[in-house]
Amino acid sequence: MTASITLPVSILGSISREEFLRDYWQKKPLLIRQAIPGFTPPLDIDELAGLTLEETVEARLVMEQGPESPWQLFNGPFEESFLQNLPEKDWTLLVQAVDHLLPEVGELLKAFDFLPSWRVDDLMISYAPEGGSVGPHFDYYDVFLLQASGKRRWQLGQPCDESSPLRSDTRLKILTEFEANPEQDWVLEPGDLLYLPPQLAHWGTSLSEDCTTWSVGFRALSAEEILCGVADFIGETLEEDLRYTDADLTLPEHPAVIDDAAMTRVKNLLNQVINNPAALSEWFGRAMTQTKYPDQLLPQESPWTSATLHELVEYAAEEEPLLVVAEGSRLAFRISTEGNWLFADGEALKFSLTIKDWITRLCSNREFDVQFIKNTLALPEASELFVKLINQGSVYLTEEDEDSNLLH
Ligand code: SIN
Ligand code: CO
């Protein structure tokens, strides 16, 4: 592993954040040449490949002319011998959530602080020798593609939707038609960044033997996910007694007819149960902060109390980060008339406005030093929340401090 990433003042080059949101976000692609000048990835291809040998890492390999089918998909973990015997060309290795595995890689996410952090899915890294590609396809996510090493040609095509025809001879969702736009055909070099809005056909092909691409994906829930999620969440709280009633029933036109009055009663009942802003907020905050891999969250075996925090600050060195947010953790907060919540990895924790500033600071950092913990201890409500985060594994003690054995 080499040095950490040096981020520019803005990853959007000469385009302001406001301009980007107004003109490009979810609307049209944007190529930013040298978004990160002099970018050198903090991990090399061998280190990336090494990750795919591990059971806990989500990895895939796509081979254009696979032994069994075209665009054949292989799922990790992989054997060393499999990786060593790959053809020279025309395949891609993809590794999900490298930001969860290597904090040095996760540093890049700081460059996207003009977007809601709870929209981030993960940072995926792909490696491809010459000719490697995952085929022409579209995604439902917004994505920023950073060329990390080597060269890749990106061709953009037509807008797509559920009805866009896909190849039937592969498990991958590869488009049968790709209408390449000659004006959106670019070769990316290290440090170049390409933003793609959702549902736009794209096709990236490696032009060198050392092509690595980092993609930061921003997920968006489908209406189906929202409807089913909310229905489950609110549904659990509803009493048996609340049901369809028709005390206003008048003589039906025919005993088998379902008339407008019946449908109005259904709609009114649904509106009544869904019109619950507090429950909607709580559900959404929980849903958007669920971890991508719940197993990666390690709850404390012996739960902490604020006394543990007091003990920690007594012995710890002043400037060093003491506690850190777990790599895969997601934090968000909401302040509203229906309530104030801190959302952490799917949990919803209520708070009062007296600790609003502390909540903001908590959600602005991934590392906490002695001073932060001292300030936390001065606020009993904040201490209680912070201890909850530690106990559920969202925040953990840095290794140095664990090794120093100051705590029992
Ligand atoms: C890749 O990195 O090879 C593929 C990324 C994508 O097209 O979504
Ligand atoms: Co894609």
Side-chain angles (χ1 to χ4, degrees), residues 298-373:
L298 301 173
Q300 274 292 327
E301 278 169 23
S302 23
W304 287 33
T305 63
S306 42
T308 330
L309 279 181
H310 274 290
E311 204 175 331
L312 182 67
V313 291
E314 216 172 298
Y315 296 106
E318 277 294 326
E319 264 124 48
E320 292 301 299
L322 267 186
L323 292 152
V324 290
V325 177
E327 284 69 25
S329 273
R330 292 178 167 141
L331 300 182
F333 65 93
R334 171 160 169 77
I335 293 174
S336 69
T337 46
E338 65 260 16
N340 312 314
W341 291 269
L342 167 67
F343 300 106
D345 300 326
E347 293 301 318
L349 308 164
K350 284 255 190 182
F351 67 86
S352 71
L353 283 183
T354 49
I355 63 158
K356 182 178 158 207
D357 290 346
W358 180 83
I359 292 282
T360 318
R361 266 180 282 128
L362 172 84
C363 293
S364 312
N365 289 306
R366 298 295 290 185
E367 295 180 338
F368 309 106
D369 60 9
V370 173
Q371 197 48 53
F372 180 90
I373 300 165

Coordinates of all heavy atoms in Angstrom, one line a residue, residues 298-373:
L298 N -19.5 -5.1 14.0 CA -19.2 -6.0 15.1 C -19.6 -5.3 16.4 O -18.9 -4.4 17.0 CB -17.7 -6.3 15.1 CG -17.2 -6.9 13.9 CD1 -15.6 -7.0 13.9 CD2 -17.8 -8.3 13.7
P299 N -20.7 -5.7 17.0 CA -21.1 -5.1 18.3 C -20.1 -5.4 19.4 O -19.4 -6.4 19.3 CB -22.5 -5.8 18.6 CG -22.9 -6.4 17.4 CD -21.7 -6.7 16.6
Q300 N -20.0 -4.5 20.4 CA -19.0 -4.7 21.5 C -19.4 -5.9 22.3 O -20.6 -6.1 22.6 CB -19.1 -3.5 22.4 CG -18.3 -2.3 22.1 CD -16.8 -2.6 22.2 OE1 -16.4 -3.4 23.1 NE2 -16.0 -2.1 21.4
E301 N -18.4 -6.7 22.6 CA -18.8 -8.0 23.4 C -19.1 -7.6 24.8 O -20.1 -8.1 25.3 CB -17.6 -8.9 23.3 CG -17.7 -9.8 22.0 CD -16.4 -10.6 21.7 OE1 -15.7 -10.9 22.7 OE2 -16.2 -10.9 20.6
S302 N -18.3 -6.7 25.4 CA -18.7 -6.3 26.7 C -19.1 -4.8 26.6 O -18.2 -3.9 26.4 CB -17.6 -6.4 27.8 OG -16.3 -6.5 27.1
P303 N -20.4 -4.5 26.7 CA -20.9 -3.2 26.5 C -20.2 -2.1 27.3 O -19.9 -2.3 28.5 CB -22.4 -3.3 26.8 CG -22.7 -4.7 26.7 CD -21.5 -5.5 27.1
W304 N -20.0 -0.9 26.7 CA -19.4 0.2 27.3 C -20.5 1.0 28.1 O -21.7 0.9 27.7 CB -18.8 1.2 26.3 CG -17.5 0.7 25.7 CD1 -17.2 -0.6 25.4 CD2 -16.4 1.5 25.2 NE1 -15.9 -0.6 24.8 CE2 -15.4 0.6 24.7 CE3 -16.2 2.9 25.2 CZ2 -14.3 1.1 24.2 CZ3 -15.0 3.4 24.7 CH2 -14.0 2.5 24.2
T305 N -20.0 1.9 29.0 CA -20.9 2.9 29.6 C -20.2 4.2 29.5 O -19.0 4.2 29.0 CB -21.1 2.6 31.1 OG1 -19.9 2.7 31.8 CG2 -21.8 1.2 31.3
S306 N -20.7 5.3 30.0 CA -20.0 6.5 29.9 C -18.7 6.5 30.8 O -17.7 7.2 30.5 CB -20.8 7.8 30.1 OG -21.7 7.6 31.2
A307 N -18.8 5.6 31.8 CA -17.6 5.4 32.6 C -16.4 4.9 31.8 O -15.2 5.3 32.0 CB -17.9 4.5 33.8
T308 N -16.7 4.1 30.9 CA -15.6 3.6 30.0 C -15.0 4.7 29.2 O -13.7 4.8 29.0 CB -16.1 2.5 29.0 OG1 -17.2 1.8 29.6 CG2 -15.1 1.5 28.6
L309 N -15.8 5.6 28.7 CA -15.3 6.8 28.0 C -14.5 7.7 28.9 O -13.4 8.1 28.4 CB -16.5 7.6 27.4 CG -17.2 7.2 26.2 CD1 -18.3 8.1 25.8 CD2 -16.2 7.0 25.0
H310 N -14.9 7.9 30.1 CA -14.1 8.7 31.1 C -12.7 8.1 31.3 O -11.7 8.8 31.2 CB -14.8 8.7 32.4 CG -15.8 9.8 32.5 ND1 -15.5 11.1 32.5 CD2 -17.2 9.8 32.6 CE1 -16.6 11.9 32.6 NE2 -17.7 11.1 32.6
E311 N -12.7 6.8 31.4 CA -11.5 6.1 31.7 C -10.6 6.2 30.5 O -9.4 6.4 30.6 CB -11.8 4.6 31.9 CG -10.8 3.8 32.6 CD -11.2 2.4 32.9 OE1 -12.5 2.2 33.0 OE2 -10.4 1.5 33.0
L312 N -11.2 6.1 29.3 CA -10.4 6.2 28.0 C -9.7 7.6 27.9 O -8.5 7.6 27.6 CB -11.3 6.0 26.8 CG -10.8 6.0 25.5 CD1 -9.8 4.8 25.2 CD2 -11.9 6.0 24.4
V313 N -10.4 8.7 28.1 CA -9.8 10.0 28.0 C -8.7 10.3 29.0 O -7.8 11.0 28.8 CB -10.8 11.2 28.0 CG1 -11.7 11.1 26.7 CG2 -11.7 11.2 29.2
E314 N -8.8 9.6 30.1 CA -7.8 9.8 31.2 C -6.4 9.4 30.8 O -5.5 10.0 31.1 CB -8.3 9.0 32.4 CG -8.0 9.7 33.7 CD -8.6 8.9 34.8 OE1 -9.9 8.8 34.9 OE2 -7.9 8.4 35.7
Y315 N -6.4 8.3 30.0 CA -5.1 7.7 29.7 C -4.6 8.0 28.3 O -3.5 7.8 27.9 CB -5.1 6.2 29.8 CG -5.4 5.8 31.3 CD1 -6.6 5.3 31.7 CD2 -4.3 5.9 32.2 CE1 -6.8 4.9 33.0 CE2 -4.6 5.5 33.5 CZ -5.8 5.0 33.9 OH -6.0 4.6 35.2
A316 N -5.5 8.5 27.4 CA -5.2 8.6 26.0 C -4.3 9.8 25.7 O -4.4 10.8 26.3 CB -6.4 8.6 25.2
A317 N -3.5 9.6 24.6 CA -2.7 10.8 24.1 C -3.7 11.8 23.5 O -4.7 11.4 22.9 CB -1.7 10.2 23.0
E318 N -3.3 13.1 23.6 CA -4.2 14.1 23.2 C -4.6 14.1 21.7 O -5.8 14.0 21.4 CB -3.5 15.5 23.5 CG -3.7 16.0 24.9 CD -5.2 16.2 25.3 OE1 -5.9 16.7 24.5 OE2 -5.5 16.0 26.5
E319 N -3.7 14.2 20.7 CA -4.1 14.4 19.4 C -4.6 13.3 18.5 O -5.3 13.4 17.5 CB -3.0 15.2 18.6 CG -3.3 16.7 18.7 CD -2.1 17.5 19.2 OE1 -1.0 17.2 18.8 OE2 -2.3 18.3 20.1
E320 N -4.2 12.1 18.9 CA -4.4 10.9 18.0 C -5.9 10.6 18.0 O -6.7 10.8 18.9 CB -3.8 9.7 18.7 CG -2.3 9.7 18.6 CD -1.8 9.8 17.2 OE1 -2.0 8.9 16.4 OE2 -1.1 10.9 16.9
P321 N -6.4 10.1 16.8 CA -7.8 9.7 16.8 C -7.9 8.4 17.7 O -7.1 7.6 17.7 CB -8.1 9.3 15.3 CG -6.7 9.2 14.7 CD -5.8 10.0 15.5
L322 N -8.9 8.4 18.5 CA -9.1 7.4 19.5 C -10.1 6.4 19.0 O -10.0 5.2 19.2 CB -9.6 8.0 20.8 CG -8.7 8.4 21.9 CD1 -9.4 8.8 23.1 CD2 -7.8 7.2 22.2
L323 N -11.2 7.0 18.5 CA -12.3 6.1 18.1 C -12.6 6.5 16.6 O -12.4 7.7 16.3 CB -13.6 6.4 19.0 CG -13.4 5.9 20.4 CD1 -14.3 6.7 21.3 CD2 -13.9 4.4 20.5
V324 N -13.1 5.6 15.8 CA -13.4 5.8 14.4 C -14.7 5.3 14.1 O -15.2 4.3 14.7 CB -12.3 5.2 13.5 CG1 -11.0 6.0 13.6 CG2 -12.1 3.8 13.7
V325 N -15.3 5.9 13.1 CA -16.6 5.3 12.5 C -16.2 4.1 11.7 O -15.3 4.1 10.9 CB -17.3 6.3 11.7 CG1 -18.6 5.7 11.1 CG2 -17.7 7.6 12.4
A326 N -16.9 3.0 11.9 CA -16.6 1.7 11.2 C -16.7 2.0 9.7 O -17.6 2.7 9.3 CB -17.6 0.6 11.7
E327 N -15.8 1.3 8.9 CA -15.7 1.7 7.5 C -17.0 1.5 6.8 O -17.4 2.4 5.9 CB -14.7 0.8 6.9 CG -13.2 1.2 7.2 CD -12.8 1.0 8.6 OE1 -13.4 0.1 9.3 OE2 -11.9 1.6 9.1
G328 N -17.8 0.5 7.1 CA -19.1 0.4 6.3 C -20.3 1.0 7.0 O -21.4 0.9 6.5
S329 N -20.0 1.8 8.1 CA -21.2 2.4 8.8 C -21.8 3.6 8.0 O -21.1 4.4 7.4 CB -20.7 2.9 10.1 OG -20.8 1.9 11.1
R330 N -23.1 3.8 8.2 CA -23.7 4.9 7.6 C -24.4 5.7 8.7 O -25.2 5.1 9.5 CB -24.8 4.4 6.6 CG -24.2 3.7 5.4 CD -25.2 3.2 4.5 NE -24.6 2.9 3.2 CZ -25.0 1.8 2.5 NH1 -25.9 1.0 2.9 NH2 -24.4 1.6 1.3
L331 N -24.1 7.0 8.8 CA -24.8 7.9 9.7 C -25.5 8.9 9.0 O -25.1 9.4 8.0 CB -23.7 8.6 10.6 CG -22.8 7.7 11.5 CD1 -21.9 8.6 12.3 CD2 -23.6 6.8 12.4
A332 N -26.7 9.3 9.6 CA -27.5 10.4 9.0 C -28.3 11.0 10.1 O -28.5 10.4 11.2 CB -28.4 9.9 7.9
F333 N -28.8 12.2 9.9 CA -29.7 12.8 11.0 C -30.8 13.6 10.3 O -30.7 14.0 9.2 CB -28.9 13.6 12.0 CG -28.3 14.9 11.5 CD1 -28.9 16.1 11.5 CD2 -27.0 14.8 11.0 CE1 -28.4 17.3 11.0 CE2 -26.4 16.0 10.5 CZ -27.1 17.2 10.5
R334 N -31.9 13.7 11.1 CA -33.0 14.5 10.6 C -33.5 15.3 11.7 O -33.8 14.8 12.8 CB -34.1 13.6 10.1 CG -35.4 14.3 9.7 CD -36.3 13.5 8.8 NE -37.6 14.1 8.7 CZ -37.9 15.2 8.0 NH1 -37.0 15.8 7.4 NH2 -39.2 15.6 8.0
I335 N -33.7 16.6 11.4 CA -34.3 17.6 12.4 C -35.6 18.1 11.8 O -35.6 18.6 10.7 CB -33.3 18.7 12.7 CG1 -32.1 18.1 13.4 CG2 -34.0 19.8 13.5 CD1 -30.9 19.1 13.7
S336 N -36.7 17.9 12.5 CA -38.0 18.2 11.9 C -39.0 18.5 13.0 O -38.8 18.1 14.1 CB -38.5 17.1 11.0 OG -38.8 16.0 11.8
T337 N -40.2 19.0 12.5 CA -41.3 19.2 13.5 C -41.8 17.9 14.1 O -42.3 17.9 15.2 CB -42.4 20.0 12.8 OG1 -42.7 19.4 11.6 CG2 -42.1 21.4 12.6
E338 N -41.6 16.8 13.3 CA -42.2 15.5 13.8 C -41.2 14.8 14.7 O -41.5 13.7 15.2 CB -42.7 14.7 12.7 CG -41.7 14.1 11.7 CD -41.7 14.9 10.4 OE1 -42.3 16.0 10.4 OE2 -41.1 14.4 9.4
G339 N -39.9 15.3 14.8 CA -39.0 14.7 15.7 C -37.6 14.8 15.2 O -37.3 15.2 14.0
N340 N -36.6 14.6 16.0 CA -35.2 14.6 15.7 C -34.6 13.3 15.9 O -34.7 12.7 16.9 CB -34.4 15.6 16.5 CG -35.1 17.0 16.6 OD1 -35.6 17.5 15.7 ND2 -35.3 17.4 17.9
W341 N -33.9 12.8 14.8 CA -33.3 11.4 14.9 C -31.9 11.4 14.4 O -31.5 12.1 13.5 CB -34.0 10.5 14.0 CG -35.4 10.1 14.3 CD1 -35.8 9.0 15.1 CD2 -36.6 10.7 13.9 NE1 -37.2 8.9 15.2 CE2 -37.7 10.0 14.5 CE3 -36.9 11.8 13.1 CZ2 -39.0 10.3 14.2 CZ3 -38.2 12.1 12.9 CH2 -39.3 11.4 13.4
L342 N -31.1 10.6 15.1 CA -29.8 10.2 14.6 C -30.0 8.8 14.1 O -30.5 7.9 14.8 CB -28.8 10.2 15.7 CG -27.4 9.6 15.4 CD1 -26.7 10.4 14.3 CD2 -26.5 9.4 16.6
F343 N -29.7 8.6 12.8 CA -29.8 7.3 12.2 C -28.4 6.7 12.1 O -27.5 7.3 11.6 CB -30.5 7.3 10.9 CG -31.9 7.9 10.9 CD1 -32.1 9.2 10.4 CD2 -32.9 7.2 11.5 CE1 -33.4 9.7 10.5 CE2 -34.2 7.7 11.5 CZ -34.4 9.0 11.1
A344 N -28.2 5.5 12.6 CA -26.9 4.9 12.5 C -27.1 3.4 12.2 O -27.6 2.6 13.0 CB -26.2 5.0 13.8
D345 N -26.7 3.0 11.0 CA -26.7 1.6 10.6 C -28.1 0.9 10.9 O -28.1 -0.1 11.5 CB -25.6 0.8 11.3 CG -24.2 1.4 11.0 OD1 -24.1 1.9 9.8 OD2 -23.3 1.5 11.8
G346 N -29.1 1.6 10.5 CA -30.4 1.0 10.6 C -31.1 1.3 11.9 O -32.3 1.0 12.0
E347 N -30.4 1.9 12.8 CA -31.1 2.2 14.1 C -31.5 3.7 14.1 O -30.9 4.5 13.5 CB -30.1 2.0 15.3 CG -29.7 0.6 15.5 CD -30.9 -0.3 15.9 OE1 -31.8 0.1 16.6 OE2 -30.9 -1.4 15.3
A348 N -32.6 4.0 14.8 CA -33.1 5.3 14.9 C -33.0 5.8 16.3 O -33.7 5.2 17.2 CB -34.6 5.4 14.4
L349 N -32.2 6.8 16.6 CA -32.0 7.3 18.0 C -32.5 8.7 18.1 O -32.0 9.6 17.4 CB -30.5 7.2 18.4 CG -29.9 5.8 18.1 CD1 -28.4 5.9 18.1 CD2 -30.3 4.8 19.1
K350 N -33.5 8.9 19.0 CA -34.1 10.3 19.1 C -33.1 11.2 19.9 O -32.4 10.7 20.7 CB -35.4 10.2 19.9 CG -36.5 9.6 19.1 CD -37.4 10.8 18.8 CE -38.8 10.3 18.3 NZ -39.6 11.5 18.0
F351 N -33.1 12.5 19.5 CA -32.3 13.4 20.3 C -33.0 14.7 20.5 O -34.0 15.0 19.7 CB -30.9 13.6 19.7 CG -30.9 14.2 18.4 CD1 -30.8 15.6 18.3 CD2 -30.8 13.5 17.2 CE1 -30.8 16.3 17.0 CE2 -30.8 14.1 16.0 CZ -30.8 15.5 15.9
S352 N -32.6 15.5 21.5 CA -33.2 16.8 21.7 C -32.3 17.9 21.0 O -31.1 17.7 20.9 CB -33.3 17.1 23.2 OG -32.1 17.3 23.7
L353 N -32.9 19.0 20.7 CA -32.1 20.1 20.0 C -31.0 20.6 20.8 O -30.1 21.3 20.2 CB -33.1 21.2 19.6 CG -34.0 20.9 18.4 CD1 -34.8 22.1 18.0 CD2 -33.1 20.4 17.2
T354 N -30.9 20.4 22.1 CA -29.8 20.9 22.9 C -28.5 20.3 22.4 O -27.4 20.9 22.6 CB -30.0 20.6 24.4 OG1 -30.3 19.2 24.5 CG2 -31.0 21.5 25.0
I355 N -28.5 19.1 21.8 CA -27.2 18.5 21.3 C -27.1 18.5 19.8 O -26.3 17.8 19.2 CB -27.0 17.1 21.9 CG1 -28.1 16.1 21.4 CG2 -26.9 17.1 23.4 CD1 -27.7 14.7 21.4
K356 N -27.9 19.5 19.2 CA -27.8 19.6 17.7 C -26.4 19.8 17.2 O -26.0 19.1 16.2 CB -28.7 20.8 17.3 CG -28.8 21.0 15.9 CD -29.7 22.2 15.6 CE -29.4 22.7 14.2 NZ -29.7 24.1 14.0
D357 N -25.6 20.7 17.8 CA -24.3 20.9 17.3 C -23.4 19.7 17.4 O -22.6 19.4 16.6 CB -23.6 22.1 18.1 CG -24.3 23.4 17.8 OD1 -25.0 23.4 16.8 OD2 -24.0 24.4 18.5
W358 N -23.6 19.0 18.5 CA -22.8 17.8 18.7 C -23.1 16.7 17.6 O -22.2 16.1 17.1 CB -23.1 17.2 20.1 CG -22.3 15.9 20.4 CD1 -21.0 15.8 20.8 CD2 -22.7 14.6 20.1 NE1 -20.6 14.5 20.8 CE2 -21.6 13.7 20.5 CE3 -23.9 14.0 19.7 CZ2 -21.7 12.3 20.4 CZ3 -24.0 12.6 19.6 CH2 -22.9 11.8 19.9
I359 N -24.4 16.6 17.3 CA -24.8 15.7 16.3 C -24.2 16.0 14.9 O -23.7 15.2 14.2 CB -26.4 15.7 16.1 CG1 -27.1 15.1 17.4 CG2 -26.9 15.0 14.9 CD1 -27.1 13.6 17.5
T360 N -24.2 17.3 14.6 CA -23.6 17.8 13.4 C -22.1 17.4 13.4 O -21.6 17.0 12.3 CB -23.7 19.3 13.2 OG1 -25.0 19.7 13.6 CG2 -23.5 19.8 11.8
R361 N -21.4 17.7 14.5 CA -20.0 17.3 14.5 C -19.8 15.8 14.4 O -18.9 15.4 13.7 CB -19.3 17.9 15.8 CG -18.7 19.2 15.6 CD -18.1 19.8 16.9 NE -19.1 20.3 17.8 CZ -19.2 19.9 19.1 NH1 -18.4 19.1 19.6 NH2 -20.2 20.4 19.8
L362 N -20.6 15.1 15.1 CA -20.5 13.6 15.0 C -20.6 13.1 13.6 O -19.8 12.3 13.1 CB -21.6 13.0 15.8 CG -21.8 11.5 15.7 CD1 -20.8 10.8 16.7 CD2 -23.2 11.0 16.0
C363 N -21.5 13.7 12.8 CA -21.8 13.3 11.4 C -20.8 13.9 10.5 O -20.9 13.6 9.3 CB -23.2 13.5 11.0 SG -24.4 12.5 12.0
S364 N -19.9 14.8 10.9 CA -19.0 15.4 10.0 C -17.6 14.7 10.1 O -16.7 15.0 9.3 CB -18.7 16.9 10.4 OG -19.9 17.6 10.6
N365 N -17.4 13.9 11.0 CA -16.1 13.2 11.2 C -16.2 11.7 11.1 O -17.3 11.1 11.3 CB -15.7 13.5 12.7 CG -15.3 14.9 12.9 OD1 -14.4 15.4 12.2 ND2 -15.9 15.5 13.9
R366 N -15.1 11.1 10.7 CA -15.0 9.7 10.7 C -14.0 9.3 11.9 O -13.9 8.1 12.2 CB -14.5 9.1 9.4 CG -15.3 9.3 8.2 CD -16.7 8.6 8.1 NE -16.8 7.2 8.0 CZ -17.9 6.5 7.8 NH1 -19.1 7.2 7.7 NH2 -18.0 5.2 7.7
E367 N -13.4 10.3 12.5 CA -12.4 10.0 13.5 C -12.7 10.9 14.7 O -13.0 12.1 14.5 CB -11.0 10.3 13.0 CG -10.6 9.4 11.9 CD -9.1 9.7 11.4 OE1 -8.6 10.8 11.7 OE2 -8.5 8.8 10.8
F368 N -12.5 10.4 15.9 CA -12.8 11.2 17.1 C -11.6 11.2 18.0 O -11.1 10.1 18.4 CB -14.0 10.7 17.8 CG -15.2 10.5 16.9 CD1 -15.6 9.2 16.5 CD2 -15.9 11.6 16.4 CE1 -16.7 9.1 15.6 CE2 -16.9 11.5 15.5 CZ -17.3 10.2 15.1
D369 N -11.1 12.4 18.4 CA -10.0 12.5 19.3 C -10.4 12.7 20.7 O -11.6 12.8 21.0 CB -9.0 13.6 18.8 CG -9.7 15.0 18.8 OD1 -10.8 15.1 19.3 OD2 -9.0 15.9 18.2
V370 N -9.5 12.9 21.6 CA -9.8 13.0 23.1 C -10.7 14.2 23.3 O -11.6 14.2 24.1 CB -8.4 13.2 23.9 CG1 -8.7 13.6 25.3 CG2 -7.6 12.0 23.8
Q371 N -10.4 15.4 22.6 CA -11.2 16.6 22.8 C -12.6 16.3 22.4 O -13.5 16.7 23.2 CB -10.6 17.7 21.9 CG -11.0 19.1 22.4 CD -10.9 19.3 23.9 OE1 -9.8 19.1 24.5 NE2 -12.0 19.7 24.6
F372 N -12.9 15.6 21.3 CA -14.3 15.3 21.0 C -14.9 14.5 22.1 O -16.1 14.7 22.4 CB -14.3 14.5 19.6 CG -15.7 14.2 19.2 CD1 -16.4 15.1 18.4 CD2 -16.3 13.0 19.6 CE1 -17.7 14.8 18.0 CE2 -17.7 12.8 19.2 CZ -18.3 13.7 18.4
I373 N -14.2 13.5 22.6 CA -14.8 12.7 23.6 C -15.1 13.5 24.9 O -16.1 13.3 25.5 CB -14.0 11.4 23.8 CG1 -13.9 10.6 22.5 CG2 -14.6 10.5 24.9 CD1 -12.8 9.6 22.4

